[in-house]
Structures are given as structure tokens and as C-alpha cells.
Amino acid sequence: MSDFLELFIKQLQSPTLGFLIGGIVVASFGSQLAIPDSIYRFITFFLLLKIGLTGGIAIRKSNLAEIFLPALAAIFLGIIIVLIARYTLAKLPGIKVADAVATGGLFGAVSGSTLAAVLPQLDTAGVGYEPWTAALYPFMDIPALVTAIVVASVYLSNHGDKSSGKVEIWPIVKESLQSSAVTALLLGLALGIFTKPEPVYETFFNPLFRGFLSVMMIIMGMEAAQRMNELRKVAQWYAVYAFIAPFVHGFLAFGLGLVIHQLTGFSYGGCVVLAVIAASSSDISGPPTLRAGIPSANPSAYIGASTAIGTPVAIALCIPLFIGIAEILPK
Amino acid sequence: MSDFLELFIKQLQSPTLGFLIGGIVVASFGSQLAIPDSIYRFITFFLLLKIGLTGGIAIRKSNLAEIFLPALAAIFLGIIIVLIARYTLAKLPGIKVADAVATGGLFGAVSGSTLAAVLPQLDTAGVGYEPWTAALYPFMDIPALVTAIVVASVYLSNHGDKSSGKVEIWPIVKESLQSSAVTALLLGLALGIFTKPEPVYETFFNPLFRGFLSVMMIIMGMEAAQRMNELRKVAQWYAVYAFIAPFVHGFLAFGLGLVIHQLTGFSYGGCVVLAVIAASSSDISGPPTLRAGIPSANPSAYIGASTAIGTPVAIALCIPLFIGIAEILPK
Amino acid sequence: MSDFLELFIKQLQSPTLGFLIGGIVVASFGSQLAIPDSIYRFITFFLLLKIGLTGGIAIRKSNLAEIFLPALAAIFLGIIIVLIARYTLAKLPGIKVADAVATGGLFGAVSGSTLAAVLPQLDTAGVGYEPWTAALYPFMDIPALVTAIVVASVYLSNHGDKSSGKVEIWPIVKESLQSSAVTALLLGLALGIFTKPEPVYETFFNPLFRGFLSVMMIIMGMEAAQRMNELRKVAQWYAVYAFIAPFVHGFLAFGLGLVIHQLTGFSYGGCVVLAVIAASSSDISGPPTLRAGIPSANPSAYIGASTAIGTPVAIALCIPLFIGIAEILPK
């Protein structure tokens, strides 16, 4: 137990987390510092393309059968996380069902930045993981968004909202695949699998990854601090949910990962990645998809909860927590 | 012959080309991925400044007399490519002379991205070239634009378009030299010749070159796919011309290069660079110059042909073709 | 003396200066080259964060007592530079007091780019300096801006400008600390002191520093050339002052630095940094603060003088001058 605490505290001192907290502090003091939006979008693209390339290069060299069970687990988690919100958060006093389901969709969907943050910390901690784990992203992201929109639409049409007619699933899947985040990841995967991008990977994408990630953490910290005000305007249950949910989702995923570990030898590091993408909530591609898919839900509720609390908790607490657990598990 | 085919296919697998095709595929599937315009402009600036610096550092150390014949060839090619369009494309049914001449001007002018793409591929293939070859860019670019505007204006004033009065050549040259693409290249050349930029070249411009080039290729691929629609609206001859012209211009230039090779020992790699800049069509500086210089020409025709077909053909087919030829020539 | 001249000329050939002059030349020839504003803002952020990180990592390992006297000198210099402008420039014919005091405030405040330029040149010249010297920035910057606004307000309220009521100092200090430039520097300092950013520092901030600095120099050169026109519209005394002031302020600071050198062993390189930040004039954070604080002053006067003449003089002449002096001083 004291070993675990020590490892946990060591993770808390990582630069990734430092930059996130730096961003929160800077924005809390009302600084005029702002990273231009075009830079933010380029960094997002860079990080996801790089993660995709890493995964693609790995997939080119690996046995694809391995990915089957973890991908199935990712799909299951994406769906179940939305249903958890539907049957817990939505039942709380003062919470509208559409808002709760949208929140569940965002927490089921995946954050590219959080995924970007866990990988170098696993490297630093020396915890091995299958390099294709980044490819699990869309397997959790898309089912979560689809489930949230379907569940919300069914509920709303049963409760007299005539505007939401029959829900078509394919457009949601398509929109999700066409979103800039998922496209960048899939493009990287395809380039990693079908071309030989090693020269450009070694001179550009790999060396600059930690740097752009640190800038991204500052941006996300500033964003979290700014969203905090929006969150104050909605029911406090969102804040409570956003704090607890990453742990619940993470432990669920970590447990499923350990089952696959027993069955097929899926690594502990892979279990951490699965747990962290389950703990994460979508910051880039999720919000516009949900805004379009569940127009009656209140973005202040679901985006506020996710950005102001969910993401910092996932990065600052869940990443060190699950890496710490992986380190004390019997090898 | 089978040697050549093998080398050709190997070039097709290069990461540069992979990123270009990736961009085409992504845009064809309607992805919302977009690289912000400010990032695109910075990358263009970075690539051309770097190419200029490389050339300038090389010129500082080389015998300038060598550049005379290749520069003369570049000027000749810039002019002749426009005249080819005037006496072939413009004679085809349903083609307006002004549009054809503008297309010729764009194909005679030079693409900084295509130039950026050929250099690392020559390095990878181990085909040597004079490092000052990048300095040939303006020698072909400016004569092509000037010739196109002069030819179009003479034609239009002979055929009753009263708006185009006497053509002044100096403003076209000036506008071309002041364009951001040519400025960045010349600035790099001057800094390479007159200062000692090696510390910043080795830590920044050289290591990041391949990476920014790959991002540029994605952008150009997406742009090509988007322009394809515009091209569909104009006569199909533009598509045919845009496919064939890079080869014709490239072989013409390669042949001239071989003559200079016989006369002065100009390298085979230098012949490839000359062929590729002749095969390329201007994507950055050319369009605005032509839009201002030949206002009656239809941009959908010339920009569509160049961006949607000319540039992908030059990068994806002509670069591997001419490198393959250079590799099988007797040393 | 000839030693000094030789060292001075060698500094003039540095790439940093070459890129600055390149930017001036490019803009003078009317080029359309422009670095997008978002890139400029990101590079500013990057440079100041990196300088802060360097300083923070150094402070973590150093004896903080050392910084006391140089910080006191920086505060004194920030105040005295404004008072110099009040009692020299403001007395000249055709000069309004508010404009003169605003000019003094800008010259007392600090330029992040100039600070970024001197550090690698000290490294190249092999002149050692305390790595925490970058932390002197806000100690000079804030007192200068506060003094300028207070002096101008007192003058204006004594001379019948009823609009400027009682001056409150705290809002000026706060605005200055919240400015993006000072925030980025302080954020870097804090991250350097409290986290362990070495992995991201070594792979990102340190290697890219010289490159982004060179791009920044091109931007500043272009900006200087463009501001030159504005400067022509105001009294010529501004140009004279902007040329002389960097030397006066620099020598004053260098002298104070030498006194601290005698007292505590403050390095010659540290004296150069103190002299150069005194010679520099604020280009990022100063202008908006002064515009808000002294609304009746004419920005063409103070920004023109600072950007078109003050900054190029500080970078192109004062940096080589003070490094040259430091090199010939007895060790």
C-alpha cells in the first residue's frame, strides 16, 4: 500500500500534469494568455496523427487477432457508460434525462489528449503495453456517441418531443468517423500500416510529441478553469458525477482488461490504456456530435462537467492511479 | 526495364506520396479534418525558407558559373510551356484562349511543395544533385507568368477586349518577386549566402523539414480532392491536358538537362530537379498573379486542372519516374 | 580596442541579426510575405515559456539570495528610465509630455524577443551568465509601466485633463502580470521550479528555441520596417531618442551590474543581460497597457519609436556591443 502511494505521488509530479495544473492556475488568475485556436487545432491534429502512426506501425508488425477481445471490451464499455448515466445521473433530482444521457455520451466517448497523456507516462514508468492500443479509441468512441443519441431520441419521442423522429444510426457513425479527431487518428493508422513513415516519424512526430502534448495540457487546463463557471450554473450533481464517473468507468475497464489478460495475455499496460480511455471524456469530437444529435440537451451541463472536472480528474488522478496499480500487480 | 519498374514502384511507397494520397482519401470521404489556413501559410513559408537556406549555403561554397546554363534552360522552359498551351490546348474544341494560356502559365510556374517533395526523395534514393538547384525556381516561375499574361493580353486586345490595354512587363515581374512564396525562397537564399545560419539550420530547419513536408502533402491531397469538383464543371480537355502536360514538360526539361550534363557535367539529380520543377504547376504564388493579370480567364479551369490533377501527377508519378530514369542512366 | 571591434563585427554576423535584417529588407521591398498572427502569438508564447523554464530549472538549483541585488537594480532601472524620458525627451520642442512619458514607459519595459536574442548569443560567445537572469524581466517591466502611467496621470491631472482622476497602482501591476507575455514567462518559471520538465525541455523547448527565435526576428524586422512610416509622421526627436536611449539605458544598467559584480560576484554575462533588457523596449505587453493607461498619448509616437528604431538598435547594436565589452573586461 505504501509502495502504491509512493508510485502514485511520483506520477503526480510528472511534467504532463504540471502543465495541466499550470493552465488551470493561469486561467484562474485571469491571465490574458491564450493559445490561438488554429494552433490548438494543429496540435490536436498532430497528436492524434502521431498516436495513429505509432499504432499503425505497430499493427503492421503484430498479430491482429490479439486486438479482437480488447476491441470488443471497448465497444461494450462505450455502450455501458451511457447506460450507467441513463440509470443513475438521470434519476437524480433536478436532472433532465436528455442532459444526463448527453453527459454519459461524452464520458463514454474518448479524449485524444488524455490518450496522448497516458502513453508517455507509461513509457516513463516502464510499464509495457501493446502499441496498437491507441487503435481502441474509435471502438469505444463511436458506440458511446451512437448509444447516447439513440437513447436520448427514444426517450424524447416517447415523452412528446415530436421534433425527434426516427433515429438513424448510420449518419451518427458517419459523422463520428468524419470528425477531425477520428479522421486524424485513422489517417495516422492507415499511413502507419500501408506506407513506411519511419523517416518522418523519427525526425518529426516522435521528438515533438511530448512538447506539443505539454502545450495541449496548458490549453486544457485553461479551458477547464473557464468551463468551471458554466458548471456552477447547472445542478451540482453534474460536478459530483463528473468527479466519480472517471473512477467507476476506469475500474470497470481495468477489470475487463484483467479478464482479457487472463485469457490472452493482454498486458497490464494495455489494461491501463483501456481504463484511461474509459475514464476520459471527449473534448474535441464529442461535443459537436452530441450538440447536433441531442439538440435539446444543455451543453453547459455536459461540456462543463466533462471539461472542467472529468478531464482533469482523468489526467491528474486516474492516470497515476491505474499506472500505480499496474506497477504493484504480480508480474 | 524491370529494374526501372522496380525503382519506380519503390518510389511510390515513399512517405511523401503516402501522405498526399492520405489527404486525397480523407477529403474524398467527406472528413471534416482541416488544417487551419495560418498553419498552411506558416508551413509554406518554412519549407521555402528552408529550401532557400539549403541553396544559399550551397551557393556560398560553389562555383556560380555552373548555374548559368541550367538557369537559361529554366527561363526557356518557363516560356515554352506557355507557348505549348497556346498552340495545343487553346486549339481544342470548347476551350477559350485566355483560359488555355492561364493554364499554361500555371504549369510553367513552379510549385514550392513539389520542389520540396523531390529533394528528400533524391536524398533517400542516393541520387546526387547540385544543392543550388532550388535557386532555379524563380528563373522558371517568373518568365512563365510574364509570358502567360503578355500572350493573353496581346490575344485579347487583338480580339476586341478593350479593357486589356498595353501590357507592362515590370509590374508582373515585381508582383512575382514580391509574392510570399518567391520572397521566402529568396530570403532563405540571401540568408544562406550572406549570414552563417548553420546553428539554426541544423537544429530547426533541417530536422523539421520532412515533417512539415508531410503535413503539406496531406493539405495538398485534400485540396486536390476538393478541386476535383470544380474541374468537373469545365471542359474535359483540361483534365486530359493536366494529366499529360507534366510528363511532356518534364521530359523536355530532362532532355535539356542531359544536354547540359554533356556540356558541363550537370548532375543527373540536377536533371531530375529541373524536370520536376518543369512538371510541377504553381499552387501558391501563381493563382493570384494570374487572376490579377488575366482577369477574364476562368479560375475553375486553370486552378482546378493544376491542383486536382497536375500537382498529384507531378508528385506521385513524375518524381518517381524521373528518379527511376536517373538511376538507370549510365554513370 | 581592435579586439573589441573584431568581436563586435563577429557578433554582427550572427544568424539572429541576419534574420532581423532580412525581415527589414523584405518588408522594405514591399513583399507580400506575412507570418500569420496566430503563429506570431504562438512563437512569442513558446519563446517566453522556454526562457521561463530555463530560469525556473536554474532557480531550483541555485541560491536565491543572489537574485536580490540584481532584482533591486532592475526595479530601479525601470523607474529611472521613465524619469529620464520625463526630464529630457518631454522638454524638447514639439513633444507632448504624455507622449514622452509613454515612450519612456515602453523603453523601460522589457522586450521578450530581445531577451530571447541575447541568451543564445552569450552561449555562442562563451560568456557565462546566471541562468536565473531571465527572471529579472518582470522586476524591470512592471515598475516601468506603473511609473509611466502614474507620472503621466499626475501631470495630466495637474494640467486640466479632468478625465484622468486618481491613479490606482494595483490595477496596473495586475494588468501587467496578467499580460500574455509576463504570464508565459512566470508560468515557465513556476513549471521549472515546481515540476520536473526536463524530458519535454530537452526534446522540444530547447532544440526548437533558436529556430522559432529566427522566425521571430524576421517578423520583428518586417514590423520595424512597417512602423518606420508611422514614425515619419511624428516629431523627429522620437527617432533621435529611440536611437540614443538604448545605449544610455544599457550603459546605466551595465554600470550598475558591474557594481553588483564587485559586491557579490554577479557574472559579466549577467551584466550583459541586465544591460540588454534595459536597452530593450517592450513590443508585446507594453503597448496595450500604455494605450489603456495613458489614453491621450499618441501610439504612433511611442510604438513607432520603439519598434522601428529602439528594438533593431537594441538587437543589432547593443547586444554585440555589451557582449564585446564583457569579453574584453579583465576576468
Side-chain angles (χ1 to χ4, degrees), chain C residues 126-210:
Chain C
V127 176
Y129 57 95
E130 290 76 8
W132 47 256
T133 43
L136 297 175
Y137 182 128
F139 288 99
M140 193 181 302
D141 197 62
I142 295 171
L145 295 172
V146 171
T147 307
I149 296 174
V150 170
V151 167
S153 303
V154 167
Y155 172 84
L156 292 170
S157 69
N158 286 346
H159 290 75
D161 178 346
K162 296 301 173 204
S163 71
S164 65
K166 202 158 161 295
V167 187
E168 301 212 35
I169 289 178
W170 175 235
I172 310 168
V173 175
K174 201 176 147 207
E175 188 175 352
S176 188
L177 285 169
Q178 288 176 336
S179 73
S180 50
V182 175
T183 301
L185 191 83
L186 293 180
L187 176 60
L189 274 171
L191 288 169
I193 295 173
F194 299 116
T195 73
K196 289 180 182 164
E198 278 84 351
V200 71
Y201 183 82
E202 295 303 336
T203 59
F204 189 71
F205 290 102
N206 203 32
L208 300 189
F209 181 66
R210 277 171 188 265

Side-chain angles (χ1 to χ4, degrees), chain B:
Chain B
M1 191 61 197
S2 81
D3 271 8
F4 167 73
L5 270 178
E6 207 174 286
L7 290 163
F8 179 72
I9 285 164
K10 206 174 142 202
Q11 289 301 321
L12 279 176
Q13 295 174 323
S14 83
T16 307
L17 184 52
F19 282 83
L20 180 80
I21 294 172
I24 294 175
V25 171
V26 157
S28 305
F29 280 115
S31 163
Q32 284 158 30
L33 182 68
I35 310 291
D37 185 59
S38 56
I39 302 292
Y40 165 72
R41 289 196 286 142
F42 176 70
I43 293 178
T44 306
F45 166 74
F46 175 94
L47 295 176
L48 288 167
L49 191 66
K50 190 270 176 187
I51 292 172
L53 283 168
T54 313
I57 294 172
I59 286 175
R60 206 202 305 149
K61 297 171 183 161
S62 46
N63 172 9
L64 260 189
E66 286 181 293
I67 202 176
F68 181 72
L69 278 183
L72 212 65
I75 294 171
F76 171 76
L77 287 161
I79 296 170
I80 205 76
I81 287 171
V82 178
L83 297 179
I84 290 174
R86 174 70 187 85
Y87 293 106
T88 62
L89 180 59
K91 304 289 186 195
L92 292 170
I95 303 285
K96 282 205 253 172
V97 171
D99 295 359
V101 172
T103 306
L106 219 53
F107 277 83
V110 176
S111 156
S113 325
T114 310
L115 174 57
V118 67
L119 301 179
Q121 294 198 53
L122 281 168
D123 293 338
T124 306
V127 176
Y129 58 96
E130 290 76 7
W132 47 256
T133 43
L136 297 175
Y137 182 126
F139 288 98
M140 192 181 301
D141 197 63
I142 295 171
L145 295 172
V146 170
T147 307
I149 295 174
V150 170
V151 167
S153 302
V154 168
Y155 172 84
L156 291 171
S157 69
N158 286 347
H159 292 74
D161 179 344
K162 297 299 175 205
S163 71
S164 66
K166 202 160 161 292
V167 187
E168 301 211 36
I169 290 177
W170 175 236
I172 309 168
V173 176
K174 202 178 146 204
E175 188 174 351
S176 188
L177 285 170
Q178 288 175 337
S179 73
S180 50
V182 176
T183 300
L185 191 83
L186 294 180
L187 176 61
L189 273 172
L191 289 169
I193 295 172
F194 298 117
T195 73
K196 291 182 180 160
E198 279 84 351
V200 71
Y201 183 83
E202 294 304 334
T203 58
F204 189 71
F205 291 100
N206 203 32
L208 301 189
F209 181 67
R210 277 171 188 264
F212 279 129
L213 177 62
S214 69
V215 177
M216 175 60 92
M217 288 297 122
I218 294 176
I219 298 173
M220 297 191 74
M222 296 194 297
E223 180 84 358
Q226 283 151 7
R227 291 281 181 183
M228 195 59 91
N229 285 326
E230 278 184 37
L231 192 58
R232 288 212 188 87
K233 295 175 202 150
V234 297
Q236 291 192 338
W237 285 118
Y238 286 104
V240 175
Y241 191 85
F243 190 89
I244 296 172
F247 294 99
V248 174
H249 303 159
F251 274 112
L252 206 61
F254 199 84
L256 267 177
L258 287 182
V259 172
I260 304 173
H261 170 78
Q262 293 297 335
L263 294 173
T264 69
F266 187 50
S267 70
Y268 288 147
C271 297
V272 173
V273 174
L274 192 65
V276 168
I277 64 177
S280 81
S281 50
S282 176
D283 38 26
I284 304 167
S285 57
T289 307
L290 289 171
R291 220 173 274 199
I294 317 179
S296 61
N298 175 6
S300 295
Y302 59 91
I303 301 178
S306 153
T307 309
I309 299 186
T311 295
V313 165
I315 295 174
L317 300 179
C318 293
I319 291 180
L321 173 69
F322 291 111
I323 292 181
I325 294 175
E327 284 185 305
I328 56 161
L329 282 177
K331 295 291 173 306

Side-chain angles (χ1 to χ4, degrees), chain A:
Chain A
M1 191 61 197
S2 81
D3 271 7
F4 167 73
L5 270 179
E6 206 174 288
L7 290 162
F8 179 73
I9 285 164
K10 206 174 143 202
Q11 290 301 323
L12 279 176
Q13 294 174 323
S14 84
T16 307
L17 184 53
F19 282 84
L20 180 80
I21 294 172
I24 294 176
V25 171
V26 157
S28 305
F29 279 114
S31 164
Q32 284 158 29
L33 182 69
I35 310 291
D37 184 59
S38 57
I39 301 293
Y40 165 73
R41 288 197 287 141
F42 176 71
I43 293 178
T44 305
F45 166 74
F46 176 95
L47 295 176
L48 288 168
L49 191 66
K50 191 271 175 185
I51 291 172
L53 283 168
T54 314
I57 294 171
I59 286 174
R60 206 201 307 149
K61 298 170 182 161
S62 46
N63 172 11
L64 260 190
E66 287 181 293
I67 203 177
F68 181 73
L69 278 183
L72 213 66
I75 294 171
F76 171 76
L77 287 161
I79 296 170
I80 205 77
I81 287 171
V82 178
L83 298 179
I84 290 174
R86 174 70 186 87
Y87 294 105
T88 61
L89 181 60
K91 305 287 187 195
L92 292 170
I95 303 286
K96 281 205 256 171
V97 171
D99 295 359
V101 172
T103 306
L106 219 53
F107 276 83
V110 175
S111 156
S113 324
T114 310
L115 175 56
V118 68
L119 302 179
Q121 294 198 51
L122 282 168
D123 293 339
T124 306
V127 177
Y129 57 96
E130 290 77 7
W132 47 256
T133 42
L136 297 175
Y137 182 127
F139 288 98
M140 192 181 300
D141 197 62
I142 294 171
L145 294 172
V146 170
T147 308
I149 296 173
V150 170
V151 167
S153 302
V154 168
Y155 172 84
L156 291 171
S157 69
N158 287 347
H159 292 74
D161 178 346
K162 297 299 173 203
S163 70
S164 65
K166 205 160 160 291
V167 186
E168 302 213 35
I169 289 178
W170 174 236
I172 309 167
V173 175
K174 202 176 144 205
E175 187 174 353
S176 187
L177 285 170
Q178 288 176 338
S179 72
S180 50
V182 176
T183 301
L185 191 82
L186 294 180
L187 176 60
L189 274 171
L191 288 169
I193 295 171
F194 299 115
T195 73
K196 290 180 180 160
E198 279 83 350
V200 71
Y201 182 82
E202 295 303 335
T203 59
F204 189 71
F205 290 102
N206 203 31
L208 300 190
F209 181 66
R210 277 171 188 264
F212 278 130
L213 177 62
S214 68
V215 178
M216 176 59 95
M217 288 298 122
I218 293 176
I219 298 173
M220 298 191 74
M222 295 194 299
E223 181 84 358
Q226 282 151 8
R227 289 283 181 183
M228 196 59 91
N229 285 325
E230 278 185 37
L231 192 58
R232 288 214 187 87
K233 294 177 203 150
V234 298
Q236 291 193 338
W237 285 117
Y238 286 105
V240 174
Y241 192 83
F243 190 88
I244 296 171
F247 294 100
V248 174
H249 304 158
F251 274 113
L252 206 62
F254 200 84
L256 268 177
L258 288 182
V259 172
I260 305 173
H261 170 77
Q262 292 297 334
L263 295 173
T264 69
F266 187 48
S267 69
Y268 288 147
C271 297
V272 173
V273 174
L274 192 65
V276 168
I277 64 178
S280 82
S281 50
S282 176
D283 39 26
I284 303 166
S285 57
T289 307
L290 290 172
R291 220 174 274 199
I294 317 178
S296 61
N298 175 7
S300 294
Y302 60 89
I303 302 178
S306 153
T307 309
I309 298 186
T311 295
V313 165
I315 295 175
L317 300 178
C318 293
I319 291 179
L321 173 68
F322 290 111
I323 291 181
I325 293 175
E327 284 186 305
I328 56 161
L329 282 177
K331 294 291 172 306

